[in-house]
Amino acid sequence: SSVWYGVIINATRSFVRIGEFSNVQDNTTISEAFHRLDADHDGSTIIGHYVTIGHGCHLRACTIEDRCLVGINSVLSEGSYLESESILGANSVLLQNDRIPSHQLWAGKPARYIRDLTEEEILDIKFSAEKYSRLARRHRNQFYFDHSTAYLEAEQLGIPVGFRTGQ
């Protein structure tokens, strides 16, 4: 999975889970609820496998099953739910406790049913997530630096490095 630049993930009471081969694009905010939503929902945000979250989205205490796409600048409110292989269009707001059934496209403010997805669109959801996974791997390889031992050399010269208890 990949989490891109400027993403904020906040979970202090429950948790945020991001599945394999999923990607959270730039400037998205993911958070939990401040309280339990009901007996079955502890306020966590769950993102399944092969999910693409577009740039600038806001997700709060929602569930996104496997192979879904959330369009750029969309909002998923507390308790909202995307079933597998569904799409929420760009600039949409999925209201509290709204649920998008599998194989459907919803869009708008508030989001509403637009149409059923084609087989090609359903396949493209997973393809998009795989494409971002390859891009993340290539990006990591271009910018990855080996772990340095420079701190050991600095310590041998008496130069304090990093956090030290009691100083």
Side-chain angles (χ1 to χ4, degrees), residues 69-143:
L69 183 127
V70 177
I72 292 171
N73 292 322
S74 291
V75 175
L76 279 78
S77 304
E78 287 185 3
S80 61
Y81 201 106
L82 272 75
E83 292 182 10
S84 64
E85 299 175 335
S86 60
I87 296 176
L88 178 63
N91 300 305
S92 296
V93 176
L94 191 60
L95 298 177
Q96 187 171 1
N97 299 317
D98 277 357
R99 187 179 189 110
I100 299 178
S102 292
H103 307 142
Q104 290 187 0
L105 166 65
W106 284 38
K109 294 180 183 179
R112 64 188 195 305
Y113 171 79
I114 303 297
R115 62 176 171 79
D116 288 344
L117 297 174
T118 66
E119 285 300 316
E120 183 178 346
E121 289 170 324
I122 291 169
L123 293 173
D124 282 347
I125 294 170
K126 185 175 180 189
F127 177 77
S128 173
E130 290 171 335
K131 181 180 80 172
Y132 272 96
S133 181
R134 287 189 301 275
L135 180 63
R137 194 168 33 257
R138 192 169 75 227
H139 184 71
R140 181 196 66 212
N141 291 341
Q142 288 176 336
F143 294 99

